[in-house]
């Protein structure tokens, strides 16, 4: 049976014909293979099979074939997005980009993101809240860096402002800067003050802390180092520190 190209996740387009067999897939009990005119045509989920009312002996014209391919692409893209969301919350832009990288066309991606948004599984406000709370718990990012993270994930300005205000983003920059500086202080011991300031200041700046928070942290930690105060680091702290 001749196949034509299709834009839906690079799925070949079967020619019109009659369904001659519907066979269960060996590796996935929730999917079946359709045969048209005696040859494999495409695999579909049981949901699509039932929703489209497919049966052996049914004739599928070109329009019906394209409709099925669109349904298959939507189902594949949705399942791909759901697997990503099972790991952690995602922004709409992130899901859009990941699906695009996997070869889904723009119409399919838009349909999937709209569907997931409508049922509350894709929510930029919820994602922004998750990211801010995660960064605040880690205490190694300043408010401006967290805002930049949100922008990078495609969160709009109004949502950023709302979530930032509700979480008092940036209010604890001095405390967080000091906590982070203390975490990496072991690697800075023995340095002269100029090198100490350059390395610690650069690390704090890359993490988006304000100038005043940086200066306060550098002064306190320098004094503590001179006094021989030690701060024990966990293995995770050692791995996550950045003093380059």
């Amino acid at each position: 049976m001749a196949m034509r190209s299709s834009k839906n996740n690079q799925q070949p387009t079967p020619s019109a014909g009659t369904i001659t067999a519907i066979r269960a897939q060996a590796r996935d009990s929730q999917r079946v293979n359709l045969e048209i005119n005696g040859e494999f045509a495409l695999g579909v989920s049981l949901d699509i099979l039932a929703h489209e009312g497919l049966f052996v002996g049914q004739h599928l014209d070109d329009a019906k074939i394209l409709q099925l391919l669109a349904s298959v692409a939507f189902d594949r893209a949705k399942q791909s997005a759901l697997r990503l969301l099972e790991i952690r919350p995602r922004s709409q832009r992130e899901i859009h980009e990941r699906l695009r990288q996997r070869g889904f066309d723009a119409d399919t991606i838009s349909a999937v993101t709209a569907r997931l948004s409508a049922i509350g599984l894709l929510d930029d406000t919820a994602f922004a809240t998750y990211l801010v709370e995660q960064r605040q718990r880690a205490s190694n990012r300043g408010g401006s860096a967290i805002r930049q993270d949100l922008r990078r994930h495609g969160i709009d300005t109004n949502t950023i402002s709302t979530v930032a205000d509700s979480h008092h983003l940036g209010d604890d920059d001095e405390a967080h800067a000091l906590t982070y500086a203390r975490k990496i202080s072991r690697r800075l011991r023995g340095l002269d003050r100029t090198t100490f300031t350059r390395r610690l200041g650069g690390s704090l700046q890359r993490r988006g802390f304000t100038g005043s928070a940086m200066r306060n942290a550098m002064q306190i930690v320098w004094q503590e180092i001179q006094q021989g105060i030690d701060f024990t680091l966990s293995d995770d702290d050692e791995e996550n520190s950045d003093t380059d």
Side-chain angles (χ1 to χ4, degrees), residues 189-201:
R189 293 179 183 277
L191 298 177
D192 61 85
R193 186 157 191 172
T194 299
T195 305
F196 164 86
T197 299
R198 175 176 58 80
R199 296 186 66 180
L200 179 55

Side-chain angles (χ1 to χ4, degrees), residues 34-209:
L34 296 185
E35 292 183 8
I36 297 179
N37 297 337
E39 296 182 17
F40 171 77
L42 74 161
V44 302
S45 67
L46 294 180
D47 286 343
I48 292 176
L49 185 71
H51 184 267
E52 299 294 339
L54 302 175
F55 58 90
V56 173
Q58 180 181 9
H59 178 76
L60 304 178
D61 58 19
D62 286 340
K64 185 65 174 179
I65 292 287
L66 291 177
Q67 179 184 329
L68 281 177
L69 288 175
S71 295
V72 169
F74 176 88
D75 186 60
R76 287 177 174 171
K78 184 182 72 173
Q79 294 306 317
S80 182
L82 288 174
R83 285 191 291 272
L84 290 169
L85 290 168
E86 285 176 355
I87 299 170
R88 63 166 174 80
R90 313 268 177 169
S91 67
Q92 290 196 38
R93 175 183 288 181
E94 188 177 0
I95 290 294
H96 187 283
E97 181 60 20
R98 293 293 289 271
L99 293 180
R100 186 192 66 78
Q101 292 172 354
R102 295 179 184 185
F104 294 102
D105 65 89
D107 289 343
T108 299
I109 295 171
S110 294
V112 168
T113 55
R115 174 59 178 163
L116 294 180
S117 297
I119 61 178
L121 294 180
L122 195 55
D123 184 331
D124 276 359
T125 298
F127 170 79
T129 299
Y130 158 82
L131 188 144
V132 168
E133 291 177 351
Q134 182 192 58
R135 297 292 191 266
Q136 287 182 323
R137 281 194 300 272
S139 299
N140 64 356
R141 291 289 188 277
S144 63
I146 298 175
R147 287 175 183 269
Q148 182 58 37
D149 279 350
L150 292 171
R151 287 191 288 269
R152 182 170 55 83
H153 281 90
I155 307 304
D156 65 80
T157 301
N158 289 337
T159 300
I160 291 175
S161 295
T162 299
V163 175
D165 290 346
S166 67
H167 286 74
H168 307 287
L169 188 60
D171 289 0
D172 295 328
D173 267 14
E174 289 204 0
H176 289 166
L178 181 56
T179 298
Y180 177 70
R182 282 171 169 166
K183 284 181 180 180
I184 63 175
S185 64
R186 178 177 296 176
R187 297 184 179 185
L188 304 176
R189 293 179 183 277
L191 298 177
D192 61 85
R193 186 157 191 172
T194 299
T195 305
F196 164 86
T197 299
R198 175 176 58 80
R199 296 186 66 180
L200 179 55
S203 184
L204 291 170
Q205 186 175 39
R206 285 192 294 274
R207 280 164 170 73
F209 292 110

Side-chain angles (χ1 to χ4, degrees), residues 215-240:
R215 289 189 295 272
N216 180 67
M218 288 188 291
Q219 180 178 358
I220 292 175
V221 172
W222 174 257
Q223 292 173 349
E224 291 171 341
I225 288 176
Q226 301 314 300
Q227 295 167 10
I229 299 175
D230 189 20
F231 295 95
T232 302
L233 292 176
S234 68
D235 292 339
D236 288 341
D237 290 334
E238 289 280 3
E239 291 175 1
N240 294 330

